[in-house]
């Protein structure tokens, strides 16, 4: 048991994993209740483009991912507020657009960089000390923002029109939420990978919703399930030699299936 | 002048509104006195919901002014004086993981202000609102587990939690069975008479509303009628607006 923590990279992986495990479902719940779950996948593909640009320009890939995803989040929210296009069409536009650009840019990088693959599927062994500082401080920022504006974010997610009638600045809070989502997604890609981050933001939330609790309890439960998935997923991936991202998501899925069975029995 | 003693709680003066070039409201003027129970009716597309959104400050009129207790609706202080119960509660409400208490508490969000937490005062207001709308016994239930009528009462409690002076209800009885509707109208009547709330009730259901409200306003792009419901029925306005069949149904009661 102690053997796993003899490696610095595993300790870093656990700390980063736990930080991401807390914020992913926190943002995820707000996206799921607004039927905006696909947002995380779109942001993940945009982050991937950011990572690619980072490699090409020699600027921190993680920083580029956060910046690009946040800027795109702003663009998507602007387009959505014009009400010319539906939300899912805008997501699809950004998802395929960023992936297309990423694919072209990847071909500029000579040979297929191993590091780049690690962003696609997640690779815990590549979390550097600098990455760790970056991830933990931004996770704290996300946590503080959600806690500070919890009642406003709840109301805007419940009903935008009611929120506006109460004088809540819905544009500001929608933008806040989507930028927090962009940050969370970009930070999570080292742990679970761009292709699987959507799962970490939605599966623990879906599990928690099964228990038919209040919004606040659903939030706490989904964080609990996410932590359980990430921590046990990291252990399993270390001892079995499986890919970390895939293992974490499979554990999250198993917990979801168990909750389905538990609900049936109840 | 203190808010409560202002003679007109709502003053709408020469208000016009258009969606792009499509005119929806033309030169509407009326006053609502404190403690009034006003029904707004009119055919579909007559501008009822648009007028509500203007009253709530969600839409800005193309011309004209709206004041609440003598002041424009710009600041959140004026907005807090109006409680709003929407046409249909959010579409995704059946799966929304929130309890009745959480929904009712959300009616207090704007009053509390940014970065501040619920005080004892806020909690008391929420409890009182749930008692008044008779949803206190459901407070730990998920909103989606309630019947249509109960959900509507929960949304009334939500509006009451903000301790408004005016309650605006936009077609609130859509999709609710007759028994629940009776209870609903009794609650509104009680809020008006006992709690002294000014009520603005928008409905397409001419028949029901004409028997409930004390003052009626009929909209069809222009202000067609403003006065007692009885006179409205007697004076054959209905026939002009809806055709002969409606008149028949109404008089059959």
């Amino acid at each position: 048991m102690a053997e796993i923590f003899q490696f610095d990279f595993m300790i870093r992986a656990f700390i980063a994993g736990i930080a991401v495990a807390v914020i992913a479902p926190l943002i995820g719940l707000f996206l799921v209740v607004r039927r905006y779950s696909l947002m995380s996948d779109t942001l993940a593909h945009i982050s991937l483009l950011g990572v690619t640009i980072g490699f090409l320009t020699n600027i921190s890939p993680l920083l580029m991912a956060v910046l690009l995803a946040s800027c795109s989040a702003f663009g998507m929210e602007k387009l959505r507020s014009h009400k010319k296009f539906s939300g899912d069409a805008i997501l699809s536009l950004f998802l395929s657009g960023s992936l297309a650009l990423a694919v072209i840019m990847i071909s500029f990088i000579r040979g297929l960089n191993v590091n780049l693959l690690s962003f696609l599927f997640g690779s815990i062994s590549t979390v550097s000390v600098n990455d760790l500082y970056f991830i933990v401080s931004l996770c704290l920022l996300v946590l503080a923002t959600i806690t500070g504006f919890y009642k406003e974010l709840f109301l805007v997610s419940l009903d935008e029109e009611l929120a506006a009638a109460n004088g809540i600045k819905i544009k500001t809070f929608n933008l806040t939420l989507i930028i927090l989502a962009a940050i969370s997604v970009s930070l999570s890609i080292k742990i679970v990978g761009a292709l699987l981050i959507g799962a970490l933001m939605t599966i623990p939330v879906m599990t928690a919703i099964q228990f038919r609790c209040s919004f606040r309890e659903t939030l706490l439960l989904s964080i609990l399930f996410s932590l359980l998935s990430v921590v046990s997923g990291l252990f399993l991936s270390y001892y079995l030699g499986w890919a970390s991202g895939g293992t974490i998501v499979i554990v999250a899925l198993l917990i979801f299936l168990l909750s389905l069975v538990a609900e049936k029995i109840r | 002048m203190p808010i409560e003693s202002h003679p007109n709680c709502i003053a709408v003066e020469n208000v016009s509104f258009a969606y792009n070039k499509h005119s929806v409201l033309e030169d509407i003027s009326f006053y609502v006195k404190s403690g009034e129970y006003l029904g707004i009716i009119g055919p579909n597309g007559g501008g009822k919901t648009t007028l509500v959104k203007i009253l709530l400050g969600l839409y800005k009129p193309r011309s004209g002014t709206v004041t609440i207790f003598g002041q424009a609706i710009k600041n959140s202080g004026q907005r807090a004086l109006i409680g709003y119960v929407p046409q249909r509660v959010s579409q995704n409400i059946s799966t929304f993981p929130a309890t009745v208490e959480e929904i009712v508490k959300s009616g207090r969000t704007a009053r509390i202000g940014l970065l501040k937490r619920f005080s004892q005062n806020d909690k008391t207001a929420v409890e009182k609102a749930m008692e008044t709308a008779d949803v206190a016994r459901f407070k730990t239930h998920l909103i989606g587990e309630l019947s249509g009528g109960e959900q509507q009462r929960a949304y009334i409690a939500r509006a009451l939690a903000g301790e408004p002076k005016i309650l605006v209800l936009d077609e609130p009885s859509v999709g609710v069975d007759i028994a629940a509707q009776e209870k609903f109208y009794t609650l509104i009547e009680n809020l008006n008479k006992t709690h002294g709330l000014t009520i603005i009730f928008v409905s397409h259901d001419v028949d029901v509303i004409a028997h409930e409200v004390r003052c009626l306003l009929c909209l069809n792009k222009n202000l067609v009628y403003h006065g007692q419901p009885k006179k409205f029925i007697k004076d054959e306005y209905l026939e002009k607006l809806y055709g002969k069949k409606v008149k028949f149904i109404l008089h059959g009661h």
Side-chain angles (χ1 to χ4, degrees):
Chain A
M1 170 81 182
E3 178 203 336
I4 187 172
F5 294 117
Q6 283 170 0
F7 303 103
D8 282 350
F9 78 86
M10 273 319 287
I11 295 174
R12 287 200 297 272
F14 267 91
I15 298 174
I18 286 169
V20 163
V22 172
I23 59 163
L26 192 61
I27 300 290
L29 177 59
F30 285 101
L31 296 181
V32 166
V33 296
R34 310 174 126 212
R35 308 193 171 179
Y36 229 28
S37 314
L38 210 67
M39 170 64 79
S40 47
D41 286 308
T42 303
L43 288 168
H45 285 83
I46 298 168
S47 305
L48 193 66
L49 175 63
V51 166
T52 322
I53 297 174
F55 276 117
L56 277 174
T57 54
N58 258 336
I59 300 169
S60 156
L62 208 52
L63 176 69
M64 280 309 280
V66 170
L67 286 179
L68 191 70
S70 306
C71 292
S72 310
F74 184 78
M76 282 191 275
E77 194 49 36
K78 272 266 167 258
L79 265 182
R80 191 178 81 100
S81 64
H82 286 321
K83 296 199 170 148
K84 267 190 193 159
F85 308 103
S86 66
D88 58 341
I90 296 167
L91 290 183
S92 164
L93 180 85
F94 274 77
L95 190 148
S96 34
S98 57
L99 191 60
L101 271 175
V103 167
I104 294 173
M105 289 201 171
I106 287 168
S107 65
F108 293 155
I109 305 171
R110 238 188 301 161
L112 194 55
N113 197 314
V114 181
N115 262 331
L116 192 62
L117 265 183
S118 78
F119 282 96
L120 264 182
F121 299 107
S123 171
I124 46 168
S125 58
T126 58
V127 179
S128 69
V129 178
N130 279 341
D131 286 345
L132 191 65
Y133 285 136
F134 190 65
I135 291 175
V136 171
S137 45
L138 279 186
C139 281
L140 287 174
L141 175 80
V142 171
L143 198 62
T145 315
I146 297 274
T147 318
F149 299 118
Y150 174 79
K151 60 183 190 313
E152 285 79 12
L153 289 170
F154 172 80
L155 178 52
V156 172
S157 302
L158 175 72
D159 192 316
E160 286 192 4
E161 193 187 56
L162 272 181
N166 283 167
I168 303 286
K169 296 197 162 28
I170 53 169
K171 276 187 185 166
T172 313
F173 286 104
N174 278 334
L175 194 62
T176 307
L177 185 69
I178 190 172
I179 287 177
L180 291 180
I183 295 173
S184 313
V185 167
S186 330
L187 295 181
S188 312
I189 57 176
K190 276 228 164 171
I191 310 296
V192 283
L195 296 182
L196 290 172
I197 172 63
L200 196 59
M201 293 183 99
T202 46
I203 299 173
V205 170
M206 288 165 70
T207 312
I209 287 177
Q210 300 271 346
F211 289 83
R212 313 184 67 76
C213 300
S214 71
F215 196 82
R216 193 179 283 269
E217 287 162 349
T218 306
L219 258 186
L220 295 175
L221 268 182
S222 52
I223 293 173
L224 179 77
F225 293 132
S226 162
L227 277 171
L228 205 63
S229 313
V230 170
V231 172
S232 47
L234 284 177
F235 270 114
L236 281 174
S237 85
Y238 176 81
Y239 286 109
L240 300 174
W242 292 359
S244 61
T247 315
I248 289 169
V249 173
I250 290 297
V251 174
L253 264 177
L254 281 176
I255 299 175
F256 174 68
L257 288 175
L258 277 176
S259 78
L260 270 185
V261 174
E263 175 65 24
K264 277 254 157 126
I265 294 170
R266 226 164 35 137
Chain B
M1 189 184 298
I3 281 171
E4 285 78 3
S5 60
H6 205 280
N8 289 318
C9 74
I10 299 173
V12 174
E13 283 165 340
N14 309 109
V15 163
S16 296
F17 187 87
Y19 292 102
N20 296 321
K21 281 178 185 165
H22 178 66
S23 171
V24 184
L25 293 174
E26 281 175 6
D27 201 25
I28 308 286
S29 297
F30 64 92
Y31 300 93
V32 182
K33 289 200 173 70
S34 292
E36 186 69 89
Y37 187 167
L38 174 75
I40 299 182
I41 59 164
N44 284 336
K48 301 186 296 281
T49 296
T50 307
L51 179 65
V52 165
K53 291 192 170 166
I54 291 174
L55 290 179
L56 293 169
L58 294 176
Y59 291 172
K60 225 180 126 192
R62 182 158 281 190
S63 58
T65 54
V66 177
T67 53
I68 308 289
F69 294 107
Q71 282 184 33
I73 331 164
K74 276 181 216 147
N75 57 36
S76 55
Q78 293 306 100
R79 280 173 194 253
L81 298 171
I82 308 179
Y84 173 46
V85 182
Q87 193 159 22
R88 46 195 158 90
V89 290
S90 326
Q91 284 169 324
N92 60 353
I93 207 66
S94 58
T95 55
F96 200 95
T99 59
V100 169
E101 189 178 16
E102 285 179 308
I103 303 268
V104 176
K105 275 170 100 177
S106 80
R108 206 129 174 113
T109 300
R111 212 172 236 279
I112 296 172
L114 288 177
L115 296 171
K116 288 190 191 132
R117 300 203 164 269
F118 280 82
S119 67
Q120 195 52 49
N121 257 354
D122 298 317
K123 282 176 191 152
T124 315
V126 168
E127 290 291 330
K128 204 178 136 200
M130 288 192 294
E131 292 288 340
T132 309
D134 192 24
V135 288
R137 60 204 148 104
F138 305 124
K139 71 179 190 183
T140 56
H141 291 217
L142 288 190
I143 185 81
E145 289 170 353
L146 270 53
S147 72
E150 290 159 352
Q151 281 184 5
Q152 259 150 5
R153 293 210 310 278
Y155 270 78
I156 290 191
R158 188 200 165 272
L160 293 178
E163 296 176 291
K165 300 278 173 236
I166 305 163
L167 196 61
V168 177
L169 304 109
D170 188 4
E171 308 239 11
S173 46
V174 171
V176 175
D177 63 61
I178 303 284
Q181 271 191 36
E182 286 244 5
K183 192 168 177 183
F184 185 77
Y185 288 122
T186 313
L187 169 64
I188 305 296
E189 178 89 31
N190 178 34
L191 288 174
N192 177 243
K193 279 193 178 149
T194 321
H195 297 253
L197 274 175
T198 306
I199 310 279
I200 296 184
F201 196 112
V202 179
S203 180
H204 67 282
D205 193 342
V206 192
D207 184 12
V208 175
I209 204 167
H211 291 93
E212 296 292 335
V213 303
R214 283 199 299 279
C215 186
L216 194 64
L217 191 141
C218 181
L219 274 183
N220 191 9
K221 206 193 284 186
N222 298 295
L223 187 61
V224 178
Y225 179 85
H226 185 195
Q228 285 183 348
K230 275 182 195 162
K231 192 168 183 300
F232 177 80
I233 298 164
K234 209 173 70 193
D235 286 359
E236 319 280 313
Y237 279 101
L238 275 177
E239 198 179 319
K240 281 182 214 157
L241 277 171
Y242 296 92
K244 281 187 178 166
K245 269 187 184 169
V246 175
K247 188 184 128 198
F248 174 73
I249 292 166
L250 195 74
H251 284 263
H253 262 262

